[in-house]
Amino acid sequence: MDRFFSQRARNVRRSVLRELLKFTQRPEIISFAGGTPDPGTFPWEELADIAAREIRANYARSLQYSTTEGDIGLRRELLEIARAEGIRADLEEIVITTASQQGLDLIAKTFLDPGDVVYVELPTYIGAIQAFRAMEAKLVGIHLEEDGMDLDALRGRIAADKARGERAKFIYVIPDFQNPAGVRWSEEKRLGLLDIAAEEDLLVVEDAPYRPLRFAGDPVPSLKALDREGRVIFLFTLSKILAPGLRIAALIGSREVVDKIVAMKQAADLCTPALTQALAREFLRRHDFEGHVEKIRACYREKRDRMLDALERYMPEGVRWTRPEGGLFLWVTLPEGVDTERMFPKALERKVAYVIGAPFFVDGTGRNTMRLSFAIATPEEIEEGIRRLAEVVKEELAALSTTAQI
Ligand SMILES: Cc1ncc(COP(=O)(O)O)c(C=O)c1O
């Protein structure tokens, strides 16, 4: 069969994580592995009422094809939310996508030729790595510090790539409560990144699924709100603040960019489903969206606090973790020499699961890291799960020090 596959298909691999996640779904396992939001945050009753009404009273529209650009009412609602964030855009500068993963895929298809360079954070979101690699891009990872990318390293790397005649297209970043590391970029670094993009004539792709989920710290403007040159393409999904099953997101960019993305989307799926667009539109119109998001923030704030507290109490010396001010994840770094993939089956034996860190690193490093999601487990499970995980880590460290002595 292999001979029939395109060069692209040969390069595409199923995500290691999705394979590992299959092991974590047994009910007795406390899982910090999934990247999914807490279903308790889905406004299912409101959505059920809207769905019944939209199908009964409005089926000629809600069960029909939509335009490729997306439902005009929904685009207006999302532009309103963006405006409150300081992002000024009009109807020609926004397209509804079948959630942000499609936005990433369309960006990859629109901008990347084989061998083109994309700069990403180290670590970064696996779905973006898959989308860009599928177009045979060359991904260059730049170390993520506590307040954003190491911009000196980025400058140095761009200069070196330029000297070698490499062609770079964009910098992909998740500046708010990053997946996987939970890091938020400072305003200074955001401005610095935009300066570099302007000097080097690069686009910036700002992926912001967790931006509304800020439960601590002061607000920092988005890159798109700071962008004066139309270089930033902004991806904004409803997956974490409404429901991922709707598959609704928006891509906001310059008219030229949106026009090309729309053409690319026509080939992909003609349009995002009219029905789920109608559900999102009516929810945004009829319900207190800000109040709804505030409830979600409170839910995750409590769980994050519980996880930080448990880590503090149970983890042994030498283990470090981030203290996210929003989002769903925190990031744990174990002492050098620990391999979280090798440790994974031992954690499963203790009935606790996490996500191994290495697949988030495009340079093959990060073997001693792991991502913990505080979204799904209950506060009590978080406490117990971290206790079990700390036992596993302690045993691993003890085994390592014995090997080192032999
Ligand atoms: C950084 C990032 N981008 C994009 C996505 C894709 O989200 P969706 O396709 O549900 O909008 C996710 C999902 O976890 C994510 O973490």
Side-chain angles (χ1 to χ4, degrees), residues 35 98-102 104 125 172 174 179 207 209-210 237-240 244 247-249 329:
T98 305
S100 278
Q101 190 60 39
Q102 184 183 51
L104 292 169
Y125 169 55
Y172 167 75
I174 311 151
N179 179 5
D207 192 4
Y210 308 100
T237 179
L238 296 184
S239 285
K240 315 291 166 160
R247 311 306 296 134
I248 299 286
F329 309 113

Side-chain angles (χ1 to χ4, degrees), residues 254-328:
S254 68
R255 284 179 190 215
E256 248 179 306
V257 165
V258 166
D259 192 53
K260 275 282 178 231
I261 294 278
V262 168
M264 225 26 114
K265 181 172 162 68
Q266 275 164 2
D269 65 354
L270 300 179
C271 61
T272 294
L275 182 58
T276 58
Q277 292 192 71
L279 296 189
R281 180 193 67 226
E282 293 307 307
F283 185 85
L284 294 175
R285 270 189 191 157
R286 291 162 193 260
H287 295 277
D288 169 16
F289 185 59
E290 192 37 47
H292 166 72
V293 178
E294 192 46 54
K295 274 194 250 159
I296 303 180
R297 288 187 198 116
C299 159
Y300 293 138
R301 184 189 295 118
E302 183 195 352
K303 293 186 182 194
R304 179 217 50 175
D305 288 349
R306 196 66 180 254
M307 190 172 268
L308 285 176
D309 182 57
L311 285 165
E312 207 66 67
R313 266 182 303 125
Y314 296 118
M315 278 295 167
E317 197 72 11
V319 180
R320 289 180 290 121
W321 53 88
T322 54
R323 304 183 68 83
E325 295 182 319
L328 311 181

Side-chain angles (χ1 to χ4, degrees), residues 53 79 83 96 123 132 154 190 194 228 267 299 346 382 398:
R53 207 169 38 237
L79 283 175
R83 205 156 293 141
I96 304 296
F132 304 154
L154 176 64
R190 291 173 197 237
L194 290 175
R228 297 283 162 264
C299 159
K346 298 173 197 164
I382 290 176

Side-chain angles (χ1 to χ4, degrees), residues 26-45:
R26 301 203 304 267
E28 71 275 19
I29 289 185
I30 298 179
S31 180
F32 304 132
T36 55
D38 183 344
T41 65
F42 302 161
W44 56 273
E45 258 183 297

Side-chain angles (χ1 to χ4, degrees), residues 49-115:
D49 289 345
I50 296 171
R53 207 169 38 237
E54 279 301 310
I55 293 174
R56 289 220 163 83
N58 219 355
Y59 68 88
R61 189 171 154 207
S62 58
L63 299 182
Q64 188 55 280
Y65 289 106
S66 158
T67 59
T68 308
E69 291 83 348
D71 180 292
I72 200 160
L74 176 61
R75 279 189 284 152
R76 287 212 169 98
E77 292 296 326
L78 294 175
L79 283 175
E80 220 23 71
I81 295 175
R83 205 156 293 141
E85 282 268 336
I87 297 172
R88 305 215 150 266
D90 61 33
L91 280 170
E92 272 77 55
E93 293 168 316
I94 179 170
V95 46
I96 304 296
T97 55
T98 305
S100 278
Q101 190 60 39
Q102 184 183 51
L104 292 169
D105 180 57
L106 296 176
I107 286 170
K109 287 177 174 154
T110 303
F111 294 105
L112 298 175
D113 290 313

